[in-house]
Amino acid sequence: MDAQPAAPEPAAVHLSVRDHIAFIAVDHPPVNALSTAVRRGLMDAIAQADADADVHAVLVHGRGKAFIAGADIREFGLPPQAPSLPDVCLRIEACGKPVVAAIHGPALGGGLEVALSAHYRVAGPSAKLGLPEVLLGLLPGAGGTQRAPRLIGAEAALDLMLSGRHVGAPEALRLGLIDRVATSDDVLTEGEAFVRHVLAEQMPVRRTGALSDALADRAAAQAAIDAARAEASKKRGLFSPLKIAEAVQAALDLPLAQGLAVERALFEQCLASPQRAGLVHAFFAEREVAKVPEARQAQPRRIASAGVVGGGTMGAGIAVSLLDAGLPVVMVERDDAAVALGRSRVEKVYDGHVAKGRLTPEGKAAVMARLHGATDYAAFQEVDLVIEAVFEDMAVKHAVFAELDRHCKPGAVLATNTSYLDIDAIAQATSRPQDVIGLHFFSPAHIMKLLEIVVPAQVSADVVATAFALATRLKKVPVRAGVCDGFIGNRILAVYRTAADHLMEDGASPYEIDTMVRAFGFPMGPYEMSDLAGGDIGWATRKRRAATRDPKARYVHIADQLCERGWFGQKTGRGWYLYEAGSRNGQPDPEVEAIVAEARAQAGVTPRHFTVDEMQRRYVAAMVNEGAKVVEEGIALRPLDVDVTLVHGYGFPRWRGGPMKHADIVGLGQILADIRAFAQEDPLFWQPSTLLVKLVAEGRTFDSLNQI
Ligand code: 3HC
């Protein structure tokens, strides 16, 4: 049979002319990103419209759900293709006839830069305008750093560029970013009406690059740039914020053409930085995590109401999460006093919102009216989903799930928030293991973004799909995990925390280790973290694991010795650090250092000095090696699932992409060589992952397993 001719690529940009208006429609699903085809299409369409004597004005708009969501992020790092986006923007701006951008949905990054190169802008109710390049390690690279300050002033432009936040049409109008708020998202009608107004009023071709009023107060603009520089240098290790301030300095000091050249050079620097690679990886990984086999195979069950077992810190946080998603929630506790306490924990969160002006007292009352307390599991009879958040003990969990089995309606999803227990075993306490799943929230549950969705052997696909759909409603980042002790996150944490403990016993102080971890980009180090969470939590885990620990494995007793003294961290006024009454800022404790010194002596260790680099290599290698084991065992679907878990649940710096992406950037050969070198001292702890060894042998990266 003859080969079928390939279907022609659908046009990404359409041009039509009606009543002297040229309509340029960007049509490149899903979000009209500025791929090569779109840039070419825009360039050709604007040139044609400009040359057509019948055309008096031009309207640019987007089809589908967006105006333009920005540069095509998938093209970063590929050889550049003409025309460049800055050239497209210059061509639009140079058009001899008024150009209006009619905006609905996202007009972000390069999308807003296209709109800024138009002469007027109108935006509808769904419009989201912003310059979020900083979140990808970049700066606006198609004139945004030069045109935005000329249009809305340096301070407002810097705020948009450094925060990456999106603004709606009313705020955009206040800022001067747009000229009119449209009453509907029918951009064709609204845009055409505005173009007719421009023509009727003979409004001039107004080129943003030629404006100067917003920067007329040079002293104010300079002050804003200086403040931005100071703020940017405080951001842990981020590269592009300072470059953004530099580019705006050029907007203040130089004519447009030279300013654009400075912007281009700075953009190229950002593009080449590993932070850009890390952040773009994080962007796609955060979307990819939701693409799990079960979500493709099955439809989610309907969830219109929820229940929570337990009103402790975790249960109350989960209840807030569910209430925030608009669900009615039933909270079951063992007695009335415990119900009241759980309720008051929930109420405290909303009181905080009221105090900060984020919620009215009536709004709070309306939310609290959706929370129902009960002491009997029969209260769960009608709910579609129950999440258990009680004490971490298998016997207790069994008792709870037996009750749930007795009282919940058929088809209700039964979830446990356990952070490490065997969910297959928990499911056995019910007659319906197909409905039992793990939903592992992170504390505080209503704030932390990560939700590990733990998939036991017998759960049905639609329950998994339901969990992923629920995560979207709760605005969480879901990661699919298999059942093992600690799932993805806590299992890896246990290993790198052990590596830190080894470092401590070998000579580094806990304070040096925390400083090293912060220097890497985590918000806090492992010992500060332990003081914040409460040292007793890790102590309980270590005691539980004692029976199964390999007697030949190295064990550092220092943390236990602190706990034996009742030093659990912030809540007891001392842990690894000393806390003055009411303070969260701990001071190094000489007594802890003495305990560490004593432990070294007892273990027969001669303390040695580690450089920051040596410490970081051990900490990261431990994390990456366990991450690889988690992937190799199928506990995580792909390396990117490990990345998202560590970034959103454990403070791994997002700009490094996650531990597996970081390992790819460093080079897997280097990581493996480090592990083998450390194994000379402790072969039991530093056993290289089979997957890592295989990838190095084949010259491959973790990313090659991601299929993004
Ligand atoms: N390039 C390529 N693909 C993009 C994209 C972009 N700029 N923006 C979104 N997508 C893709 C997503 O990966 C996703 O693909 P998938 O369906 O295969 O997973 C699809 O579009 C839909 O995206 P979301 O799932 O995120 O859909 P939402 O409706 O939740 O959100 C959005 C839409 C608000 C546009 C969000 O996708 C977003 O924030 N995108 C990034 C916007 C951005 O950062 N723009 C600046 C780019 S850098 C730039 O412009 C440089 C310039 O200055 C030179």
Side-chain angles (χ1 to χ4, degrees):
M1 221 169 75
D2 288 343
Q4 295 287 318
E9 284 254 329
V13 175
H14 310 275
L15 171 68
S16 58
V17 179
R18 185 160 40 83
D19 292 342
H20 306 294
I21 299 178
F23 294 85
I24 298 180
V26 181
D27 185 9
H28 185 52
V31 290
N32 295 332
L34 291 153
S35 64
T36 308
V38 173
R39 297 196 306 276
R40 269 191 205 134
L42 276 173
M43 198 71 157
D44 291 349
I46 199 82
Q48 270 189 52
D50 208 5
D52 185 343
D54 193 38
V55 168
H56 297 171
V58 182
L59 181 74
V60 182
H61 67 100
R63 284 198 186 152
K65 66 175 188 176
F67 174 69
I68 297 171
D72 189 336
I73 304 173
R74 292 187 193 274
E75 285 186 359
F76 291 157
L78 301 177
Q81 302 265 3
S84 74
L85 191 55
D87 286 347
V88 173
C89 290
L90 278 170
R91 182 64 191 87
I92 295 173
E93 189 169 56
C95 184
K97 299 153 186 183
V99 182
V100 171
I103 298 166
H104 78 296
L108 300 174
L112 184 57
E113 291 174 296
V114 166
L116 289 176
S117 59
H119 307 136
Y120 298 97
R121 286 152 292 279
V122 52
S126 71
K128 283 186 201 176
L129 300 96
L131 293 168
E133 285 86 344
V134 70
L135 305 177
L136 299 172
L138 291 169
L139 48 83
T145 65
Q146 307 302 299
R147 292 192 179 94
R150 283 175 165 84
L151 186 66
I152 62 172
E155 191 180 354
L158 279 162
D159 168 48
L160 285 186
M161 290 188 269
L162 292 173
S163 67
R165 73 191 178 95
H166 304 168
V167 299
E171 185 180 354
L173 183 72
R174 277 199 302 282
L175 292 173
L177 205 54
I178 60 169
D179 302 281
R180 179 183 279 189
V181 176
T183 49
S184 85
D185 282 322
D186 179 357
V187 276
L188 265 182
T189 312
E190 299 270 358
E192 182 175 345
F194 188 63
V195 174
R196 301 243 170 257
H197 168 74
V198 167
L199 289 174
E201 298 294 317
Q202 298 186 340
M203 289 163 68
V205 162
R206 186 192 58 180
R207 297 193 171 96
T208 312
L211 300 177
S212 54
D213 284 1
L215 291 178
D217 185 346
R218 288 188 56 85
Q222 190 58 57
I225 297 169
D226 293 344
R229 268 207 187 99
E231 186 59 33
S233 52
K234 275 194 249 149
K235 296 212 165 132
R236 265 188 310 271
L238 281 183
F239 182 74
S240 77
L242 272 171
K243 304 287 159 190
I244 289 173
E246 259 183 70
V248 176
Q249 186 72 57
L252 186 63
D253 295 343
L254 301 173
L256 182 70
Q258 288 176 38
L260 287 175
V262 170
E263 178 193 86
R264 182 82 329 224
L266 295 170
F267 182 78
E268 299 286 346
Q269 286 177 24
C270 292
L271 202 56
S273 84
Q275 294 193 2
R276 191 274 304 163
L279 286 166
V280 168
H281 171 79
F283 175 86
F284 285 119
E286 284 154 11
R287 283 158 178 76
E288 214 61 23
V289 277
K291 295 177 188 164
V292 298
E294 294 87 350
R296 276 191 287 267
Q297 285 160 19
Q299 284 299 316
R301 295 183 188 173
R302 181 171 169 271
I303 303 291
S305 57
V308 177
V309 189
T313 311
M314 221 44 212
I318 293 170
V320 170
S321 232
L322 295 163
L323 290 167
D324 283 348
L327 291 164
V329 178
V330 178
M331 178 188 276
V332 166
E333 258 292 0
R334 81 185 88 77
D335 53 37
D336 289 337
V339 170
L341 203 56
R343 206 179 157 79
S344 72
R345 288 194 177 102
V346 172
E347 193 161 10
K348 203 168 151 206
V349 173
Y350 291 108
D351 282 339
H353 291 352
V354 173
K356 289 191 184 117
R358 284 197 223 137
L359 190 68
T360 60
E362 298 74 40
K364 177 195 140 184
V367 177
M368 290 303 294
R370 281 193 274 117
L371 178 66
H372 307 278
T375 53
D376 190 336
Y377 283 81
F380 286 146
Q381 233 154 24
E382 293 305 319
V383 301
D384 299 317
L385 156 84
V386 181
I387 304 173
E388 159 284 307
V390 301
F391 188 63
E392 288 280 71
D393 177 275
M394 191 52 99
V396 177
K397 303 278 185 195
H398 269 190
V400 167
F401 274 79
E403 285 295 315
L404 294 179
D405 195 24
R406 219 178 338 274
H407 292 285
C408 291
K409 66 184 179 187
V413 173
L414 309 182
T416 169
N417 176 54
T418 180
S419 20
Y420 51 78
L421 293 178
D422 180 350
I423 303 179
D424 287 313
I426 294 177
Q428 290 316 314
T430 73
S431 62
R432 37 174 137 171
Q434 74 278 5
D435 295 336
V436 177
I437 192 162
L439 290 178
H440 181 210
F441 289 76
F442 288 70
S443 186
H446 58 295
I447 293 174
M448 293 291 283
K449 285 277 166 235
L450 183 65
L451 180 64
E452 268 183 312
I453 294 178
V454 191
V455 178
Q458 292 188 56
V459 68
S460 74
D462 65 343
V463 169
V464 181
T466 308
F468 275 87
L470 178 75
T472 307
R473 281 172 79 179
L474 302 186
K475 300 198 172 75
K476 300 286 181 202
V477 180
V479 173
R480 185 191 189 284
V483 176
C484 69
D485 193 338
F487 316 131
I488 299 178
N490 282 346
R491 171 167 159 181
I492 297 174
L493 166 68
V495 175
Y496 65 79
R497 169 62 199 266
T498 301
D501 287 351
H502 291 175
L503 268 172
M504 176 165 54
E505 198 176 59
D506 285 340
S509 86
Y511 315 117
E512 280 176 288
I513 295 172
D514 279 346
T515 307
M516 167 281 284
V517 171
R518 266 188 273 108
F520 184 80
F522 280 83
M524 58 177 87
Y527 302 108
E528 291 163 302
M529 186 67 220
S530 158
D531 273 4
L532 177 69
D536 46 336
I537 295 178
W539 195 27
T541 308
R542 290 192 297 278
K543 283 189 210 160
R544 175 176 57 83
R545 287 188 176 143
T548 51
R549 197 165 37 234
D550 183 341
K552 293 195 288 302
R554 179 177 177 187
Y555 186 77
V556 176
H557 295 269
I558 302 168
D560 295 348
Q561 288 165 354
L562 264 52
C563 289
E564 281 153 17
R565 290 170 167 78
W567 299 356
F568 295 148
Q570 292 190 15
K571 62 184 171 188
T572 55
R574 73 191 300 177
W576 295 97
Y577 293 80
L578 266 176
Y579 300 86
E580 288 194 6
S583 168
R584 285 162 170 244
N585 279 337
Q587 298 301 319
D589 184 347
E591 282 188 57
V592 169
E593 290 184 292
I595 293 169
V596 173
E598 174 62 26
R600 286 176 189 146
Q602 288 219 338
V605 172
T606 311
R608 57 189 155 132
H609 174 73
F610 293 95
T611 64
V612 170
D613 181 59
E614 281 166 342
M615 289 192 278
Q616 282 181 352
R617 284 166 91 137
R618 282 171 192 258
Y619 202 65
V620 167
M623 204 179 293
V624 171
N625 199 35
E626 195 63 14
K629 290 180 187 174
V630 158
V631 174
E632 139 198 333
E633 290 170 26
I635 298 297
L637 280 182
R638 303 146 294 194
L640 68 84
D641 297 84
V642 174
D643 285 337
V644 172
T645 303
L646 270 289
V647 167
H648 287 282
Y650 297 82
F652 190 96
R654 190 169 179 275
W655 53 267
R656 292 192 192 268
M660 314 312 269
K661 179 67 186 178
H662 174 69
D664 277 351
I665 292 173
V666 169
L668 298 193
Q670 174 68 60
I671 302 274
L672 182 59
D674 279 350
I675 292 170
R676 288 194 165 133
F678 306 148
Q680 305 280 318
E681 298 162 16
D682 186 348
L684 193 59
F685 181 75
W686 292 103
Q687 293 179 49
S689 126
T690 318
L691 176 65
L692 178 62
V693 172
K694 180 168 175 283
L695 289 175
V696 170
E698 292 170 1
R700 291 169 61 197
T701 59
F702 284 124
D703 217 18
S704 68
L705 304 173
N706 279 332
Q707 301 162 346
I708 296 186

